[in-house]
Amino acid sequence: MKNCEYQQIDPQALPTPTPTPPPHHGNDRDEKEQPRRPRRKWEVFPGKNRFFCQGRIIVARQSGVLPLTLGLILVTSGLFFIFDCPFLVRHLTSCIPVVGGVLFIFVVITLLQTSFTDPGILPRATPDEAADIEKQIDNTGNTSYRPPPRTKEVLINQQVVKLKYCFTCKMFRPPRTSHCSLCDNCVERFDHHCPWVGNCVGKRNYRFFYTFIVSLSFLTAFIFGCVTTHLALRAQGGKGLVFALQEMELVICFFSVWSILGLSGFHTYLVASNLTTNEDIKGSWSGKSGEDVTNPYSHRNIFVNCCSVLCGPMPPSLIDRRGFLPTDESAQTGSADIEVPALAAKSEINVVGGSSQLTIGLQEPFSHAPTPSQLPPNLFLNLTEALLLAVALTQSAAWC
């Protein structure tokens, strides 16, 4: 470094490098002109749900207990059909496997219907609808403070019912609607979120849930009675692996039958009263708050209540999860996929441009640093280039 001599080089005398155009691919225009695949609504659904079979099946995101429920039913029924049915057919009657098979198929079908059916999710308000609701709420005209939306009151069968505002869905909830915190959806006629079926229980799948727990009660009681009879008839000499499996089957049925029977009885009371679990727990129509209230949804007749809850027409799904998004909304959702690559490409161009201009600056002698007036003005057009230039000049001074 002691014998190094530096010579001033005029930047204007240097040949200006011509930027090399990127290689043109003949398929770029074809790829840009290809229309985007229309997206369905289930692909951008805002709730915490998972969809399968192109949106035909909907379950909650936290549905890990559903395989356990299905596994317990399959294991218990399988042990019954393998070890108990052959013995009971020989010694009692051949109708036992037929009855058990019918109950088993009915239980599995109703469980899957409860788990994979839309429980009655309400679509969230669009930005225009939310803005219109906010205008209706804000009647004070004070722009500095917006009071939170409270409630609305409607009259149902001469009974005042309050409608609460949902800050997530941006709408007033219809009667008997509640927002599920696990699924993050407003569900019509919300009963409860059942982890055993991996879904909310609401207006559209409550009848399947009720038939599931009732049929499961019959199946569990039937298997419990058959296993007890089998063990009583084979009381002498009952040892080995088969006897141990039968005892395990008996224990599972014993602890399951009481809870399932109690759950079935509780929901039978709710159906007969035209109540939901959510309303019964909160005591909405029980008069616990001291007010003289009655259930406005009850028909004052047990038979009519049961028919209205279990035998009414199946309401359609309101979220239209297999419908296509409008063109403008699909373009907005698709632009999010392009935003990150576009920013990366822009950053790459800035770095390349900064390095080409830094080469001119580094060719000047290190003995005297260039003044800001001597630098090309276009270096300060981009903050990234200026920072890169400062770092390069600092490193060059250190090298000297």
Side-chain angles (χ1 to χ4, degrees):
M1 296 297 291
K2 294 181 181 180
N3 298 327
C4 290
E5 294 183 359
Y6 301 97
Q7 184 179 0
Q8 177 70 28
I9 298 176
D10 187 7
Q12 297 181 356
L14 294 174
T16 304
T18 57
T20 304
H24 176 71
H25 300 283
N27 297 329
D28 291 349
R29 180 175 297 179
D30 298 338
E31 293 178 357
K32 293 181 180 180
E33 292 179 355
Q34 287 181 357
R36 289 186 173 275
R37 180 182 65 86
R39 306 186 71 180
R40 296 185 182 270
K41 295 181 180 180
W42 67 268
E43 299 181 84
V44 294
F45 187 71
K48 297 178 181 179
N49 297 88
R50 291 187 296 176
F51 297 86
F52 302 95
C53 299
Q54 298 296 322
R56 293 179 177 87
I57 295 176
I58 177 174
V59 294
R61 187 174 300 176
Q62 300 177 354
S63 57
V65 189
L66 174 61
L68 176 62
T69 305
L70 192 59
L72 286 174
I73 296 173
L74 293 177
V75 168
T76 306
S77 302
L79 293 175
F80 168 72
F81 287 116
I82 293 174
F83 298 109
D84 298 314
C85 282
F87 179 84
L88 296 176
V89 167
R90 291 194 304 267
H91 293 81
L92 295 179
T93 176
S94 60
C95 295
I96 291 178
V98 177
V99 176
V102 171
L103 288 175
F104 171 75
I105 294 174
F106 199 72
V107 165
V108 174
I109 291 176
T110 52
L111 171 62
L112 297 180
Q113 283 182 314
T114 307
S115 303
F116 298 155
T117 302
D118 170 23
I121 299 174
L122 295 178
R124 302 188 180 186
T126 61
D128 294 337
E129 294 173 346
D132 183 64
I133 293 176
E134 289 183 0
K135 289 180 181 179
Q136 296 177 8
I137 295 171
D138 188 17
N139 295 324
T140 60
N142 186 5
T143 58
S144 61
Y145 172 74
R146 181 183 296 273
R150 299 180 182 273
T151 57
K152 281 186 177 181
E153 292 184 351
V154 294
L155 197 64
I156 300 178
N157 293 332
Q158 307 302 320
Q159 181 71 42
V160 177
V161 178
K162 293 183 179 181
L163 307 183
K164 295 183 179 180
Y165 183 83
C166 181
F167 289 90
T168 303
C169 300
K170 305 296 183 183
M171 65 177 181
F172 283 98
R173 302 170 190 161
R176 316 189 84 176
T177 300
S178 183
H179 191 90
C180 177
S181 59
L182 296 177
C183 296
D184 199 22
N185 296 312
C186 277
V187 180
E188 196 172 7
R189 200 185 182 277
F190 178 77
D191 191 86
H192 69 288
H193 182 93
C194 183
W196 296 98
V197 301
N199 201 355
C200 286
V201 179
K203 184 176 182 179
R204 298 190 72 251
N205 65 344
Y206 182 80
R207 64 189 69 191
F208 302 135
F209 174 77
Y210 180 75
T211 52
F212 162 67
I213 58 176
V214 171
S215 59
L216 183 61
S217 301
F218 282 109
L219 177 63
T220 308
F222 180 75
I223 293 177
F224 179 75
C226 291
V227 173
T228 304
T229 304
H230 185 192
L231 293 177
L233 294 177
R234 295 185 58 181
Q236 298 111 3
K239 295 181 181 179
L241 179 62
V242 176
F243 189 77
L245 291 175
Q246 289 176 337
E247 286 184 340
M248 181 184 70
E249 181 185 1
L250 184 65
V251 170
I252 294 176
C253 292
F254 177 79
F255 286 102
S256 301
V257 67
W258 305 112
S259 59
I260 298 174
L261 284 175
L263 184 63
S264 301
F266 173 69
H267 279 276
T268 300
Y269 154 74
L270 295 179
V271 170
S273 306
N274 202 341
L275 287 171
T276 64
T277 304
N278 187 45
E279 293 171 348
D280 185 74
I281 292 177
K282 292 182 178 179
S284 302
W285 316 116
S286 61
K288 294 180 180 179
S289 59
E291 300 178 359
D292 186 15
V293 294
T294 57
N295 184 8
Y297 310 105
S298 177
H299 299 280
R300 307 296 186 271
N301 187 290
I302 296 177
F303 180 76
V304 177
N305 286 337
C306 294
C307 291
S308 64
V309 174
L310 303 176
C311 304
M314 183 71 170
S317 178
L318 300 178
I319 56 177
D320 188 23
R321 54 188 182 271
R322 284 188 48 81
F324 291 99
L325 286 173
T327 307
D328 53 350
E329 295 184 11
S330 181
Q332 291 176 2
T333 55
S335 63
D337 302 334
I338 308 174
E339 183 178 358
V340 174
L343 291 175
K346 183 177 179 181
S347 302
E348 184 179 355
I349 293 172
N350 292 337
V351 172
V352 173
S355 61
S356 63
Q357 295 179 9
L358 284 172
T359 306
I360 300 175
L362 292 176
Q363 290 175 352
E364 296 183 0
F366 297 109
S367 57
H368 59 279
T371 61
S373 60
Q374 295 176 349
L375 292 175
N378 57 354
L379 288 177
F380 298 94
L381 296 178
N382 193 301
L383 180 59
T384 306
E385 297 176 359
L387 293 175
L388 290 174
L389 178 60
V391 172
L393 292 177
T394 304
Q395 292 178 353
S396 63
W399 292 339
C400 289

